[in-house]
Amino acid sequence: MMRNVSRFAVAAVGAAATVLWFATSAQADAVVDNGYARGGFIGYGDKIWVEHYEGRTSSVEWYTDYGRSGSCSVTVPDVSKTCNYDMREDGTITLWICTTGPGIGSDECSIAVTDRINS
């Protein structure tokens, strides 16, 4: 009985990791990471996503070369969020992720990443 529970747990963890990898990394056009959280831009559907590694507040900040800007934030108790935007089909988007919370003196931000907006 215990052996079957262990096999099930290993299979469930592997399946969840595979789904998460395909849901974010495989489709993401640009990815940012600051060690506390990661996020990115998915051109197909114009989505910005953010997910926590630790229980803090994290936000993907972004702007386009044609004057739009915004952010997609997630805070405890949620661990991830996807925000939908309607982008033009040309131009570039620049994004970075910042995290704030206990144990961080000031915002911990990633470097900015710029990508083409294509869907």
Side-chain angles (χ1 to χ4, degrees):
M1 171 84 169
M2 194 63 164
R3 178 176 282 163
N4 288 340
V5 171
S6 295
R7 285 182 187 160
F8 176 75
V10 169
V13 169
T18 301
V19 168
L20 182 61
W21 185 83
F22 278 118
T24 57
S25 302
Q27 296 177 5
D29 294 319
V31 176
V32 289
D33 189 316
N34 68 0
Y36 297 100
R38 70 186 262 168
F41 171 69
I42 302 171
Y44 185 78
D46 300 333
K47 294 176 175 52
I48 304 288
W49 58 272
V50 58
E51 62 188 24
H52 285 286
Y53 294 142
E54 299 186 23
R56 293 177 166 83
T57 298
S58 297
S59 181
V60 172
E61 307 290 330
W62 60 270
Y63 67 88
T64 67
D65 63 342
Y66 58 87
R68 285 198 61 202
S69 63
S71 66
C72 183
S73 299
V74 65
T75 190
V76 174
D78 296 328
V79 295
S80 66
K81 183 175 181 180
T82 300
C83 302
N84 293 307
Y85 296 97
D86 187 20
M87 307 282 188
R88 285 186 359 196
E89 301 306 313
D90 61 349
T92 62
I93 185 169
T94 300
L95 56 127
W96 62 98
I97 191 166
C98 293
T99 300
T100 188
I104 301 175
S106 60
D107 287 355
E108 181 68 35
C109 298
S110 70
I111 60 167
V113 173
T114 300
D115 195 19
R116 300 277 318 144
I117 301 172
N118 298 343
S119 53

